[in-house]
Amino acid sequence: MSAKQAFNPYLPSWEYIPDGEPYVFGDRVYVYGSHDFFNGYVFCMGDYVCWSAPVDDLGNWRYEGVIYPRNADPLNKEGKMCLYAPDVTVGPDGRYYLYYVLDKISIVSVAVSDTPAGRYEFYGYVHYPDGTRLGEREGDEPQFDPGVLTEGDRTYLYTGFCGRGDKSRTGARAVTLDKDMLTVITDPVLIVPGSEYSAGTGYEGHAFFEASSIRKVKGRYYFIYSSEVMHELCYAVSDEPLRGFKYGGVLVSNTDLHISSYKPAELPMAMGANNHGSIEQINGEWYIFYHRHTNGTWYSRQGCAEKLTLNEDGSFEQAMITSCGLNGGPLEGRREYPAYIACNLFTEKHSLYLGEPGAPKITQDGRDGDEEPGYIAGMCEGCTAGFKFFDCKGVHRVSVTTRGYAFGGSFEVRTKWDGEVLAVINIDSTNVWETFSAEAAIPDGVNAIYLTYRGGGTAMLKSFTLE
Ligand code: FUB
């Protein structure tokens, strides 16, 4: 268990770091990701920042500051382009190399630092021995979302982006870089096919879309990627870094699709959109880092993580999305919890993707950077927020803190999304946060908590308390 309770999202609710690449360096885990803004109008409006936590206290994250500003790249002096999903590897010289692609240029940039949390300095562009940049030689595919792994003097670089219907892009491709971390020494090869080339390969339905990431698990290469349906992170496995990858399965879906332990497998429990992340072993346990979407848009994403089960045969089970991922177990059953840790959020339609008009959303007050606590807005008739899991003992009362024009409103309390109503908490319309409660006989043991709004208007939900 984490010394301090850990939640999803694992960073403060006012921070928006998607595309997280977790790495343990020394006794801390560092997360490198893109940097979205609250109320951002496109992806990745910020500079790269970094957060880290002690490997034995995954609820205790430290802000490492800006590690690389977007105008540090010579091609982006005016800062007009956005820094898309990065990855980091330790080179043969022991230095830390940051790989990224700017949103409007399909080549790979590299920055370097002596320490994991920077600052990183621009270093160069990945290029062929003749100086042509990877992505600009005839036959190259556009570079996107670099994932890197260094072994000895060699670094394997995986990139790609494949939309459905685009036959010009074959899939995720990989090259080998020399010990200078820039020079391509083996030509691009196809690793995992995109949807136009997946027929008969074993990847059908889970073809490569974006988000290349690479890890080694027990001596084998695991390629992690976002599939053609976007909301899921999948993996493929090989004994070699540049060929032989076979489809492994889904690691996580930010809608919880395919999970059947508490609902029908194909019923979405959150409104999904793109996904990006990777696996890392932290203190002996494997975790999958991924992101969720807030504020009803694609552009304010937040990092989440779940514990993974690694089977003897090297396969991973798909992780369920929870509110307590890095905690290593259920949360304390008696406490007030912020509503922004909801892992399930759906209307009666259970939409698979973001965009349902009038759907609830996790949001915050203020502007990007304001350290305002998150909450759920837009809870209207039949909307449900779900929280998993809590170790309950003797819970006899549940409270909710709400505000907004909630006419004749109430929250039903359940421990299963489709289970019996255990309490009804009546609430009033109010301009300020007010707390309302009801007696509730929550069974002892590990429970989920589901809160369903009934009534007119919409309520905002700041927190709930189990007592
Ligand atoms: O964050 C910007 C882009 O969105 C990333 O490069 C993709 O992987 C997707 O997550």
Side-chain angles (χ1 to χ4, degrees), residues 103-174:
D103 67 334
K104 304 268 183 283
I105 310 179
S106 298
I107 60 172
V108 182
S109 301
V110 189
V112 67
S113 166
D114 290 334
T115 54
R119 269 207 179 200
Y120 287 80
E121 303 289 335
F122 179 77
Y123 176 64
Y125 300 106
V126 172
H127 57 76
Y128 292 100
D130 70 0
T132 309
R133 295 182 295 203
L134 177 67
E136 294 182 334
R137 191 170 80 173
E138 202 179 336
D140 279 356
E141 293 185 21
Q143 301 300 295
F144 193 80
D145 284 354
V148 274
L149 173 76
T150 301
E151 290 187 300
D153 281 352
R154 296 187 151 216
T155 293
Y156 303 107
L157 166 67
Y158 304 76
T159 76
F161 175 90
C162 285
R164 276 182 175 153
D166 182 353
K167 287 201 170 359
S168 72
R169 305 190 184 212
T170 56
R173 299 183 5 139

Side-chain angles (χ1 to χ4, degrees), residues 253-270 318-322 343-346 350 386-389 415-419 448 450:
S253 152
N254 57 27
T255 74
D256 235 4
L257 219 67
H258 318 309
I259 292 286
S260 60
S261 52
Y262 71 104
K263 47 106 182 157
E266 300 312 301
L267 187 72
M269 296 299 274
Q318 181 179 338
M320 180 195 300
I321 57 175
T322 70
C343 53
N344 295 161
L345 187 60
F346 53 87
H350 286 263
F387 307 85
K388 298 186 295 229
F389 289 100
T415 53
K416 294 186 171 61
W417 69 277
D418 59 348
Y450 285 95

Side-chain angles (χ1 to χ4, degrees), residues 18-19 34 36 43-44 83-85 144-145 210-211 274-276 291 301:
D19 307 331
S34 307
D36 283 355
F43 294 121
C44 307
L83 294 166
Y84 270 6
F144 193 80
D145 284 354
E210 61 181 5
N274 69 6
N275 207 345
H276 189 144
H291 63 231
R301 300 163 295 172

Side-chain angles (χ1 to χ4, degrees), residues 161-394:
F161 175 90
C162 285
R164 276 182 175 153
D166 182 353
K167 287 201 170 359
S168 72
R169 305 190 184 212
T170 56
R173 299 183 5 139
V175 297
T176 311
L177 302 180
D178 207 349
K179 57 177 178 297
D180 67 357
M181 307 303 279
L182 293 176
T183 307
V184 174
I185 53 171
T186 66
D187 279 350
V189 287
L190 181 66
I191 294 296
V192 168
S195 54
E196 298 306 305
Y197 297 90
S198 65
T201 63
Y203 289 91
E204 298 91 337
H206 306 279
F208 174 79
F209 176 55
E210 61 181 5
S212 296
S213 181
I214 186 79
R215 291 291 188 279
K216 254 183 131 172
V217 179
K218 295 188 175 171
R220 301 172 80 204
Y221 299 84
Y222 282 60
F223 179 74
I224 295 107
Y225 66 98
S226 170
S227 82
E228 58 193 309
V229 297
M230 295 188 291
H231 57 78
E232 63 186 23
L233 294 180
C234 300
Y235 70 102
V237 186
S238 175
D239 292 330
E240 297 175 71
L242 297 177
R243 60 180 187 171
F245 282 89
K246 296 261 184 315
Y247 179 68
V250 177
L251 293 163
V252 74
S253 152
N254 57 27
T255 74
D256 235 4
L257 219 67
H258 318 309
I259 292 286
S260 60
S261 52
Y262 71 104
K263 47 106 182 157
E266 300 312 301
L267 187 72
M269 296 299 274
M271 287 155 276
N274 69 6
N275 207 345
H276 189 144
S278 197
I279 60 173
E280 183 69 345
Q281 192 174 30
I282 308 172
N283 235 5
E285 301 282 358
W286 284 97
Y287 293 91
I288 173 75
F289 284 62
Y290 64 103
H291 63 231
R292 71 174 190 181
H293 295 255
T294 71
N295 208 29
T297 86
W298 289 52
Y299 310 130
S300 299
R301 300 163 295 172
Q302 295 185 314
C304 296
E306 309 295 347
K307 202 190 254 192
L308 281 173
T309 302
L310 175 61
N311 297 317
E312 277 299 306
D313 64 0
S315 62
F316 281 107
E317 307 280 338
Q318 181 179 338
M320 180 195 300
I321 57 175
T322 70
S323 305
C324 60
L326 292 172
N327 201 49
L331 301 168
E332 290 161 25
R334 276 186 184 228
R335 248 194 63 170
E336 181 178 11
Y337 286 100
Y340 71 74
I341 69 168
C343 53
N344 295 161
L345 187 60
F346 53 87
T347 67
E348 283 170 340
K349 278 168 79 175
H350 286 263
S351 298
L352 179 58
Y353 293 106
L354 277 179
E356 183 190 328
K361 60 186 186 183
I362 292 164
T363 188
Q364 66 166 85
D365 289 340
R367 307 197 317 187
D368 183 71
D370 291 349
E371 297 187 9
E372 292 280 351
Y375 60 89
I376 301 174
M379 293 293 284
C380 55
E381 168 64 33
C383 293
T384 299
F387 307 85
K388 298 186 295 229
F389 289 100
F390 303 91
D391 194 2
C392 299
K393 187 141 198 277

